[in-house]
C-alpha cells in the first residue's frame, strides 16, 4: 500500500511540476534552482518516472542569456537537421565554459551546447544515454561525429603537411607518456591546442573520479590536438627548427595550458618555473 501511494503521489507531483513549468516558468525556475539536484537524483535512481523527470530538466545554453533556462524539448526544436546529438559541456561557471576551446567548433557551426555546472550532471546524462533518439555527448569528448567535408577557414595559413607532421612527431617525443597521440585539430579556430581524453571519458568525469578518490592517478595519457594555423604553434615550429632550448619549455607550457583549459589538475610549481623562464627570455629581447 505504501509503495502504491508513493508511486501515485510522486506521479501527481511531477505532473504538477510539469504544468507549472509551462504556465509559471519563473516560479518553476525558482523551484529548479533550489531542488533541481533532487530531480537529477531521481533520474539516476527512479526508472519508473524517468519520462516525466526528463521533461523537468533545465539547463543554461550557449544560445541563451545568463540565467536563462531551457528544456531538452526546447533544445531539440532548435537543432539543425544535420545535428545528430545533444551536446553539453561541464564547467564551474558559465564564464569558464564560454571561454573553452571545446566550444569553438560549435560556435562556428552555430550548434547549441547545454551548460552543466554540477559534477553529477555528466554522470546523470551518461546514465540516460539519449533523449528521443538523440545521444547525449560531451563537447570535450574525443570521438565527436562532425559532418564530413567541413572546410574550416581560420584566416591564417596552416603549416605545410610535412612541417605539421614533423612538429607533431617532435611533440610526442617531448611530452612522452603524457600523451597517447598528437594530431592536427579540425575543431580549433582561435586556440593553439587542446587535450582530449581517449574514448568516451569527459573531463568532468575525470574530475569526479578524482573527487571520489584523491589518491587516484588521473593523469591519464591524453590526445593533444594542435591548431597548425595558430601563431603560437607556428612559432613553436620555428623554435624547433632552430633547435632552440626554449622550444621544449614552450611545448610543455602549451600542454599545461591545454590541461588548465580542460579544468584538469597540473603541478603549479613546475609551471610557474617554466613561465618565469619564458618571461625572462621574452623580456631579455627588449
Amino acid at each position: 500500500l505504501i509503495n502504491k501511494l508513493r508511486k501515485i503521489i510522486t506521479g501527481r507531483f511531477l505532473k504538477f511540476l510539469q504544468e507549472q513549468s509551462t504556465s509559471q516558468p519563473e516560479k518553476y525556475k525558482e523551484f529548479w534552482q533550489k531542488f533541481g539536484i533532487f530531480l537529477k537524483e531521481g533520474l539516476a535512481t527512479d526508472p519508473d518516472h524517468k519520462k516525466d523527470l526528463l521533461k523537468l530538466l533545465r539547463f543554461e545554453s550557449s544560445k541563451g542569456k545568463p540565467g536563462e533556462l531551457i528544456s531538452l524539448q526546447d533544445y531539440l526544436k532548435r537543432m539543425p537537421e544535420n545535428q545528430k546529438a545533444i551536446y553539453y559541456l561541464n564547467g564551474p561557471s558559465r564564464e569558464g565554459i564560454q571561454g573553452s576551446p571545446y566550444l569553438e567548433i560549435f560556435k562556428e557551426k552555430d550548434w547549441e551546447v547545454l551548460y552543466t555546472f554540477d559534477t553529477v550532471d555528466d554522470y546523470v546524462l551518461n546514465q540516460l544515454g539519449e533523449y528521443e533518439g538523440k545521444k547525449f555527448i560531451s563537447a570535450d569528448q574525443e570521438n565527436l561525429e562532425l559532418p564530413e567535408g567541413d572546410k574550416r577557414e581560420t584566416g591564417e595559413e596552416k603549416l605545410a603537411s610535412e612541417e605539421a607532421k614533423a612538429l607533431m612527431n617532435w611533440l610526442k617525443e617531448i611530452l612522452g607518456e603524457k600523451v597517447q597521440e598528437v594530431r592536427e585539430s579540425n575543431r580549433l579556430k582561435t586556440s593553439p591546442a587542446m587535450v582530449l581524453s581517449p574514448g568516451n571519458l569527459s573531463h568532468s568525469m575525470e574530475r569526479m573520479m578524482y573527487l571520489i578518490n584523491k589518491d587516484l592517478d588521473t593523469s591519464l595519457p591524453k590526445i593533444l590536438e594542435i591548431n597548425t594555423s595558430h601563431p603560437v604553434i607556428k612559432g613553436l615550429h620555428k623554435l624547433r627548427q632552430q633547435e632552440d632550448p626554449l622550444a621544449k619549455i614552450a611545448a610543455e607550457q602549451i600542454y599545461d595550458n591545454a590541461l588548465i583549459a580542460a579544468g584538469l589538475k597540473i603541478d603549479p610549481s613546475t609551471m610557474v618555473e617554466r613561465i618565469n623562464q619564458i618571461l625572462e627570455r621574452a623580456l631579455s629581447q627588449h
Side-chain angles (χ1 to χ4, degrees):
L1 179 61
I2 294 296
N3 285 338
K4 189 174 181 180
L5 283 171
R6 179 181 60 82
K7 189 173 182 179
I8 292 171
I9 292 171
T10 302
R12 287 183 179 178
F13 180 62
L14 293 179
K15 184 180 179 182
F16 163 76
L17 289 178
Q18 180 60 33
E19 290 172 352
Q20 188 184 65
S21 69
T22 49
S23 63
Q24 296 179 288
E26 286 303 314
K27 195 168 184 180
Y28 178 71
K29 180 180 177 181
E30 291 180 21
F31 174 86
W32 171 259
Q33 289 170 337
K34 291 181 180 179
F35 302 107
I37 187 69
F38 298 106
L39 298 183
K40 296 172 190 175
E41 182 184 340
L43 278 167
T45 60
D46 188 357
D48 291 340
H49 296 99
K50 176 181 173 180
K51 187 175 179 180
D52 292 327
L53 286 165
L54 278 168
K55 295 176 183 177
L56 296 171
L57 290 180
R58 293 294 184 271
F59 303 92
E60 287 195 39
S61 85
S62 57
K63 289 194 175 182
K65 298 176 182 177
E68 183 181 342
L69 301 178
I70 66 165
S71 66
L72 291 174
Q73 201 59 43
D74 294 331
Y75 183 94
L76 291 184
K77 288 177 183 177
R78 304 202 295 228
M79 278 177 59
E81 290 183 10
N82 62 336
Q83 185 179 333
K84 298 180 180 178
I86 298 172
Y87 294 100
Y88 64 93
L89 188 60
N90 184 274
S93 67
R94 182 182 180 90
E95 292 75 17
I97 295 175
Q98 285 185 310
S100 167
Y102 303 100
L103 284 187
E104 290 178 17
I105 183 67
F106 295 95
K107 289 176 182 176
E108 185 180 85
K109 290 179 175 297
D110 197 30
W111 285 5
E112 189 168 17
V113 178
L114 299 175
Y115 295 167
T116 63
F117 305 121
D118 294 327
T119 308
V120 73
D121 287 342
D122 274 26
Y123 173 76
V124 170
L125 294 178
N126 266 296
Q127 288 289 101
L128 292 172
E130 63 177 46
Y131 177 70
E132 295 197 6
K134 302 289 186 181
K135 289 184 178 180
F136 290 109
I137 296 180
S138 178
D140 61 7
Q141 282 187 12
E142 178 254 334
N143 55 347
L144 291 187
E145 294 182 14
L146 302 173
E148 294 182 6
D150 181 46
K151 303 298 182 183
R152 304 181 60 245
E153 296 296 332
T154 63
E156 295 284 346
E157 188 179 344
K158 294 182 177 182
L159 290 175
S161 178
E162 289 302 314
E163 291 177 325
K165 186 176 180 181
L167 178 61
M168 289 185 287
N169 289 337
W170 178 81
L171 279 168
K172 178 69 178 75
E173 181 182 342
I174 291 298
L175 297 173
E177 295 181 355
K178 294 178 182 178
V179 294
Q180 175 179 299
E181 180 186 355
V182 181
R183 65 192 186 197
E184 189 172 357
S185 180
N186 67 343
R187 295 164 59 171
L188 291 172
K189 186 172 183 181
T190 59
S191 298
M194 68 179 180
V195 291
L196 302 165
S197 296
N200 295 322
L201 186 66
S202 67
H203 296 320
S204 61
M205 289 296 286
E206 278 197 60
R207 292 193 293 269
M208 187 167 72
M209 288 163 57
Y210 178 69
L211 285 173
I212 293 171
N213 182 2
K214 292 189 181 295
D215 296 325
L216 183 69
D217 180 13
T218 56
S219 56
L220 303 170
K222 300 290 184 292
I223 295 168
L224 177 66
E225 286 198 354
I226 60 171
N227 179 358
T228 57
S229 66
H230 197 282
V232 168
I233 299 301
K234 288 181 176 180
L236 179 64
H237 169 64
K238 288 180 181 178
L239 287 176
R240 181 192 68 83
Q241 285 183 315
Q242 297 165 2
E243 297 184 354
D244 191 319
L246 185 64
K248 180 178 181 296
I249 297 170
E252 291 173 340
Q253 189 58 47
I254 288 169
Y255 178 74
D256 272 5
N257 288 350
L259 287 178
I260 293 170
L264 299 174
K265 65 171 185 172
I266 60 167
D267 182 354
S269 60
T270 57
M271 190 185 73
V272 169
E273 182 181 350
R274 197 186 306 123
I275 289 174
N276 286 335
Q277 289 177 296
I278 295 171
L279 285 173
E280 182 180 348
R281 174 70 174 271
L283 293 172
S284 65
Q285 296 177 355
H286 292 278

